[in-house]
């Protein structure tokens, strides 16, 4: 049994008296939150621009967790666990075959997709607003107005890439989809919080002058 499987199993055992057969799904969400909490100092350093490496490390460190989860719920000891009617090792194609789009398993996947779409839309809206409000860097100040406008449009389009998570969630096991929606929601909320703290700090610095 891998360390990941052991940790999820232990968390599931603790949650089972309250959540019954969905305890393992909740354990995945809780495990993801714990991982993101551990990575928060690196994300905070990346947001402050302390070092370029700090922005890359959190992504790289999450990849092994994602692949361990993918493997555990593709062919492992956790295959028989469920989220409501859907096995955590099932994919959307399995759910469609088991009862169709609006079957018991299909509805679980539709709820997952709706949650991912909501997080992606939130991220896209905030990204577009940030891109529109951001000042032009001094390094590109000499660029023509048309090129600057194109760069701003690109900055507004890039957040839409977060909708690509929907495609991934449709082909990986349900357990991995839970990980994706949890870590994506955490990333957006964390950035909002860090930006808020930055604005408060800058406002306090200006008021003290």
């Amino acid at each position: 049994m891998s360390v990941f499987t052991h940790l999820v199993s232990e968390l599931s055992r603790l949650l089972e008296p309250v959540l019954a057969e969905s305890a393992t799904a909740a354990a995945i969400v809780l495990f993801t939150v714990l991982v993101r909490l551990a990575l928060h100092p690196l994300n905070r350093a990346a947001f402050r621009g302390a070092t370029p490496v700090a922005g890359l490390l959190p992504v790289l460190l999450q990849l092994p967790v994602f692949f361990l989860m993918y493997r555990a719920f593709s062919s492992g000891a956790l295959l028989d666990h469920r989220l409501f009617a859907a096995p955590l090792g099932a994919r959307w194609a399995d759910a469609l075959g088991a009862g169709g789009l609006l079957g018991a398993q299909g509805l679980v996947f539709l709820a997952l997709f709706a949650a991912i779409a909501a997080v992606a839309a939130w991220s896209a809206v905030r990204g577009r607003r940030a891109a529109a409000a951001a000042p032009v860097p001094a390094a590109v100040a000499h660029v023509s107005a048309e090129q600057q406008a194109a760069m701003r449009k690109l900055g507004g389009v890039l957040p839409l890439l977060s909708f690509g998570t929907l495609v991934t969630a449709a082909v990986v096991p349900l357990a991995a989809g839970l990980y994706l929606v949890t870590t994506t929601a955490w990333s957006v909320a964390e950035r909002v919080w860090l930006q808020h703290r930055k604005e408060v700090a800058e406002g306090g610095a200006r008021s003290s002058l």
Side-chain angles (χ1 to χ4, degrees):
M1 180 182 292
S2 70
V3 174
F4 164 77
T5 304
H6 176 73
L7 289 174
V8 170
S9 297
E10 287 299 310
L11 289 173
S12 176
R13 183 178 59 81
L14 294 174
L15 296 171
E16 189 172 1
V18 178
L19 298 173
E21 64 177 8
S22 295
T24 301
I28 292 170
V29 174
L30 180 57
F31 177 82
T32 306
V33 170
L34 293 175
V35 170
R36 294 310 306 263
L37 276 173
L39 295 176
H40 177 69
L42 287 175
N43 287 315
R44 189 169 64 243
F47 184 82
R48 293 174 178 173
T51 168
V53 178
L56 185 60
L57 277 177
V59 177
L60 294 177
L61 291 174
Q62 287 183 73
L63 288 177
V65 177
F66 179 80
F67 286 120
L68 282 172
M69 184 175 299
Y70 183 92
R71 182 175 180 182
F73 286 95
S74 295
S75 56
L78 300 175
L79 279 174
D80 57 337
H81 294 268
R82 309 173 75 86
L83 173 60
F84 302 115
L88 291 175
R91 294 168 172 78
W92 190 33
D94 301 324
L96 293 177
L101 183 64
L102 299 179
Q105 293 187 32
L107 290 175
V108 174
F109 276 88
L110 287 179
L112 173 67
F113 297 157
I116 292 175
V119 173
W122 181 26
S123 175
V125 169
R126 290 195 59 85
R128 283 178 176 272
R129 289 176 179 174
V136 179
V140 296
H142 63 282
V143 175
S144 67
E146 292 78 7
Q147 290 174 318
Q148 290 183 18
M151 292 175 66
R152 286 184 181 277
K153 288 181 180 179
L154 179 61
V157 169
L158 287 177
L160 296 177
L161 296 177
S162 55
F163 284 96
T165 307
L166 278 169
V167 178
T168 304
V171 298
V172 299
L174 176 59
L178 287 174
Y179 176 85
L180 287 173
V181 69
T182 305
T183 193
T184 304
W186 180 282
S187 294
V188 177
E190 182 180 56
R191 190 161 188 85
V192 170
W193 182 72
L194 290 172
Q195 182 64 38
H196 173 71
R197 288 196 61 184
K198 179 182 177 181
E199 292 172 354
V200 169
E202 289 175 348
R206 284 195 297 268
S207 62
S208 64
L209 295 178

